[in-house]
Amino acid sequence: MDDLLELLRAGLPADALITDPDITASYSHDMASFCEAGAPAVVALPRTAEQVQHVMRTATALRVPVVPQGARTGLSGAANATDGCIVLSLVKMDRILEISPADRIAVVEPGVINAALSRAVGEHGLFYPPDPSSWEMCTIGGNIGTASGGLCCVKYGVTAEYVLGLDVVLADGRLLTTGRRTAKGVAGYDLTRLFVGSEGSLGIVVKAVLALKPQPPRQLVLAAEFPGAAAACDAVCRIMESGHTPSLLELMDRTTVQAVNRMAHMGLPETTEALLLAAFDTPDPSADLAAVGDLCTAAGATAVVPAEDTAESEMLLQARRMSLTALETVKPATMIDDVCVPRSRLGAMLEGTAEIAEKYGLTIGVCAHAGDGNTHPVVCFDPADADESRRARESFDAIMALGLGLGGTITGEHGVGVLKKEWLARELGDVSVELHRGIKQAFDPLGLLNPGKVF
């Protein structure tokens, strides 16, 4: 411990190191349940790439594991500390280095908050689409680490589609530059995409070149009530089959709607079994919403209410954004699944989740990026109740199995971390797991970067 601190202090300012165990404990885990976390030896908060390099050179010299972190809003345990590790928090590296309207790019450090970037590029008439529900807290580095998505992905895609290039500090302290600033670029293997979604297991992102789009018109939102999840999912399929391109297509089940109303008094319709939100940011959103409203009615919607203006639209979007927070008020703890299935199997996914909730005697609310088939079943439970905790864990696994059985994937945007390691192996198969481990070995031969995560 003394050698570690002495070497770290040689290349870091005094205020960049935290050793007080009461404080370091607060950096030991992210927001996931049922994920073990150890006690870090020290927390490092570098402000420059050179300081990150110094941390990694020190870690390599002393063979000390390093756990990179952003804002710790993750939901898979990917940012959880291991005993005796260096927690490498990138939150102090929070500068927007460049915004280029001509090239439609932004160059940022990993600690930049998603919403801060969105507002900054908006001043230039530009738009950074990936918008996780935690966008007011989560960092771009964390978004890159978990390949996060958001509400707008049905039209604009996920984080991976906007990362053009990266500066990455490798396990031995070398600085690697990947990708480009240009609109096109296919030279060499796509190492940039390899780092996106790697959860800090291959290197430490210290700078990112991000693609931007022109700012679209303000979107208008439609809310449609349905008597059941199957009808709402039928509407989703009808909308996509008809060639519409909504900027948002989100679903909230009755449990979620009621939780949001209790927490925020939103006045959402509590009698609905499923509430579908559709939005368009086209030049004439009213016409698009009218057409989608007709499709919802044909699928069995009991009420279709288009927002009258952008303020009412924003209120509906805010209700969806607070879904996970509202479900956390149902019980003292939650487990948040992240299963993505083909859109055509979305109804079966929601119906199967309801059956699992009944089987295990639990409250499970579902909110979903319905246009992507990306569901977030939220298992609500009391961790002080051993039997309820057991049932919560078993129901989580049952939901994962259901998703795979429907041709889906164990995660659409939250990552693997600790929580889903077993399920990743099941999804990938032996050959793919072997190749993944070979890639990890090539980048991190000593196994120092985020050990125990993903594999």
Side-chain angles (χ1 to χ4, degrees), residues 375-425:
T375 67
H376 294 314
V378 181
V379 182
C380 306
F381 68 101
D382 184 354
D385 184 328
D387 182 66
E388 191 166 273
S389 294
R390 174 190 59 79
R391 286 183 280 122
R393 183 67 212 226
E394 290 178 3
S395 72
F396 182 91
D397 287 341
I399 292 169
M400 301 284 278
L402 171 65
L404 287 182
L406 292 172
T409 176
I410 61 167
T411 176
E413 56 188 3
H414 291 173
V416 175
V418 177
L419 193 60
K420 300 178 181 179
K421 287 171 58 177
E422 175 190 348
W423 288 100
L424 178 65

Side-chain angles (χ1 to χ4, degrees), residues 108-181:
V108 305
E109 292 182 328
V112 171
I113 300 297
N114 184 292
L117 175 63
S118 294
R119 295 185 184 107
V121 302
E123 294 177 2
H124 297 266
L126 297 170
F127 175 43
Y128 181 67
D131 62 339
S133 294
S134 59
W135 76 317
E136 293 282 4
M137 299 178 288
C138 63
T139 62
I140 295 297
N143 294 168
I144 292 171
T146 59
S148 62
L151 275 63
C152 295
C153 294
V154 62
K155 180 174 182 177
Y156 293 104
V158 297
T159 296
E161 295 167 63
Y162 293 87
V163 183
L164 298 178
L166 296 170
D167 278 6
V168 182
V169 174
L170 299 177
D172 60 8
R174 289 179 295 165
L175 183 66
L176 169 69
T177 297
T178 75
R180 77 264 180 209
R181 293 170 56 99

Side-chain angles (χ1 to χ4, degrees), residues 28-384:
S28 65
H29 59 86
D30 62 17
M31 298 177 70
S33 299
F34 291 109
C35 294
E36 293 185 0
V42 59
V43 174
L45 295 111
R47 293 182 181 272
T48 67
E50 292 75 18
Q51 290 175 5
V52 175
Q53 289 181 274
H54 175 71
V55 171
M56 292 313 306
R57 291 185 185 120
T58 300
T60 295
L62 298 180
R63 304 300 195 262
V64 177
V66 176
V67 176
Q69 290 183 349
R72 290 178 287 112
T73 58
L75 295 164
S76 67
N80 284 15
T82 57
D83 284 335
C85 76
I86 301 170
V87 162
L88 183 58
S89 174
L90 285 306
V91 295
K92 299 294 186 182
M93 297 180 66
D94 58 358
R95 295 179 299 163
I96 298 174
L97 301 172
E98 179 186 354
I99 297 172
S100 172
D103 294 325
R104 291 185 182 173
I105 62 168
V107 183
V108 305
E109 292 182 328
V112 171
I113 300 297
N114 184 292
L117 175 63
S118 294
R119 295 185 184 107
V121 302
E123 294 177 2
H124 297 266
L126 297 170
F127 175 43
Y128 181 67
D131 62 339
S133 294
S134 59
W135 76 317
E136 293 282 4
M137 299 178 288
C138 63
T139 62
I140 295 297
N143 294 168
I144 292 171
T146 59
S148 62
L151 275 63
C152 295
C153 294
V154 62
K155 180 174 182 177
Y156 293 104
V158 297
T159 296
E161 295 167 63
Y162 293 87
V163 183
L164 298 178
L166 296 170
D167 278 6
V168 182
V169 174
L170 299 177
D172 60 8
R174 289 179 295 165
L175 183 66
L176 169 69
T177 297
T178 75
R180 77 264 180 209
R181 293 170 56 99
T182 55
K184 294 180 179 179
V186 295
Y189 294 140
D190 192 348
L191 296 183
T192 302
R193 277 291 186 105
L194 190 59
F195 283 104
V196 178
S198 66
E199 302 182 36
S201 64
L202 301 180
I204 312 296
V205 172
V206 292
K207 186 168 72 175
V209 181
L210 304 175
L212 305 173
K213 289 187 175 295
Q215 184 72 256
R218 295 292 296 270
Q219 61 186 353
L220 284 181
V221 179
L222 171 148
E225 299 178 48
F226 290 88
C233 295
D234 179 35
V236 170
C237 291
R238 290 173 186 248
I239 292 166
M240 302 308 290
E241 286 173 357
S242 298
H244 293 287
T245 308
S247 56
L248 173 146
L249 196 54
E250 298 287 309
L251 184 147
M252 301 160 65
D253 72 354
R254 183 176 185 175
T255 298
T256 306
V257 168
Q258 291 178 344
V260 170
N261 275 343
R262 282 195 302 270
M263 185 180 79
H265 308 290
M266 282 284 192
L268 299 175
E270 296 210 3
T271 55
T272 184
E273 292 297 323
L275 184 68
L276 187 67
L277 303 179
F280 285 88
D281 56 8
T282 52
D284 186 10
S286 297
D288 291 305
L289 289 182
V292 164
D294 290 341
L295 293 172
C296 289
T297 300
T302 55
V304 176
V305 183
E308 294 184 0
D309 51 34
T310 55
E312 188 175 345
S313 294
E314 186 55 37
M315 185 274 290
L316 289 170
L317 296 184
Q318 186 62 26
R320 170 59 186 89
R321 286 188 186 279
M322 65 175 58
S323 292
L324 299 182
T325 303
L327 286 167
E328 290 173 353
T329 66
V330 174
K331 288 275 188 171
T334 58
M335 286 191 74
I336 303 174
D337 246 313
D338 173 35
V339 177
C340 192
V341 297
R343 291 188 198 98
S344 58
R345 308 308 302 276
L346 185 60
M349 183 68 203
L350 268 67
E351 289 177 341
T353 299
E355 292 170 2
I356 289 169
E358 183 176 358
K359 175 182 176 180
Y360 289 95
L362 295 166
T363 298
I364 302 179
V366 180
C367 52
H369 308 307
D372 302 328
N374 192 176
T375 67
H376 294 314
V378 181
V379 182
C380 306
F381 68 101
D382 184 354

